[in-house]
């Protein structure tokens, strides 16, 4: 009986983050500034930006 690999058994659940001030959905965006790639989280409603989605709480 063949076994499934550990990675195929895990479920991939994505977590949605919401802005605490306006209730809008937080999305990750990639910016290219000064020759570096920078990932930031931005609220779609109020355009507030943070370093990561969990900083909106």
């Amino acid at each position: 009986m063949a076994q499934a690999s550990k990675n195929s058994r895990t479920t991939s659940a994505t977590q949605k983050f919401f802005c605490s001030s306006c209730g809008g959905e937080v999305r990750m965006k990639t910016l290219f500034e000064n020759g570096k790639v920078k990932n930031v989280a931005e609220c779609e409603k109020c355009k507030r930006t943070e370093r990561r989605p969990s900083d909106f709480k």
Side-chain angles (χ1 to χ4, degrees):
M1 188 165 121
Q3 294 287 324
S5 69
K6 184 177 89 175
N7 290 335
S8 69
R9 283 185 271 134
T10 59
T11 59
S12 61
T14 57
Q15 186 176 4
K16 283 193 174 184
F17 289 93
F18 295 98
C19 184
S20 60
S21 58
C22 72
E25 188 177 346
V26 175
R27 295 250 171 132
M28 288 300 290
K29 300 210 173 179
T30 304
L31 300 175
F32 188 75
E33 293 180 351
N34 300 328
K36 295 182 180 178
V37 175
K38 188 176 180 183
N39 294 316
V40 294
E42 183 180 42
C43 175
E44 291 183 334
K45 271 190 179 178
C46 64
K47 303 297 182 196
R48 182 176 145 201
T49 59
E50 296 288 342
R51 216 174 110 225
R52 57 182 98 93
S54 59
D55 291 342
F56 280 89
K57 295 182 179 172

